Amino acid sequence: MDIKTASSLHRLRLVSAPEAISFLLLLVCSVLKRTTEFNAVPVMGAIHGVLFILYVLFWLDAWNRTKWDLKTAALYFALSVLPFGGFYAERKLRRAADDAVIASRARREDGVSA
């Protein structure tokens, strides 16, 4: 995996959890707006909107660089619209990054000893 691919996956991973948190907070604010006088929906909506747009842009970049198949790309997009999906995407991307680092180290060690 080259550095540009790794950094695109890293950016996607970094925005996944904040996007999921903002989505959950937006849902809470929506309920509070309907049940109380508290109305933070405009603020949380704007924050979530920016984070969602960043997620989609980083998702497109990651899809382009990693050459995911349609099923994998659709999974990561679907995770962006599910309330707890961003947390799962972050965990899955972290595991993939860790696996790539391990594979890279193994290739280097094989190359040095050969």
Side-chain angles (χ1 to χ4, degrees):
M1 179 182 308
D2 66 341
I3 191 72
K4 289 183 179 183
T5 303
S7 63
S8 69
L9 289 173
H10 185 71
R11 283 191 302 268
L12 181 61
R13 186 174 69 83
L14 286 179
V15 80
S16 296
E19 192 272 335
I21 291 169
S22 71
F23 186 39
L24 292 172
L25 288 174
L26 181 60
L27 291 175
V28 169
C29 289
S30 296
V31 170
L32 290 175
K33 178 183 176 183
R34 304 283 187 239
T35 59
T36 66
E37 297 294 318
F38 184 75
N39 184 11
V41 171
V43 173
M44 278 312 304
I47 292 170
H48 174 66
V50 168
L51 289 171
F52 181 74
I53 289 170
L54 282 174
Y55 184 94
V56 170
L57 290 174
F58 293 157
W59 169 76
L60 285 170
D61 183 43
W63 185 10
N64 183 39
R65 292 190 186 279
T66 59
K67 307 298 183 216
W68 285 329
D69 60 348
L70 186 58
K71 182 180 175 184
T72 303
L75 170 70
Y76 281 114
F77 185 78
L79 290 173
S80 73
V81 296
L82 297 174
F84 291 99
F87 299 119
Y88 179 74
E90 191 274 334
R91 201 167 55 237
K92 192 169 172 70
L93 288 166
R94 185 172 6 110
R95 282 189 198 136
D98 292 345
D99 291 346
V101 167
I102 291 169
S104 173
R105 287 181 183 159
R107 279 193 302 272
R108 267 187 294 168
E109 290 174 4
D110 287 341
V112 170
S113 64

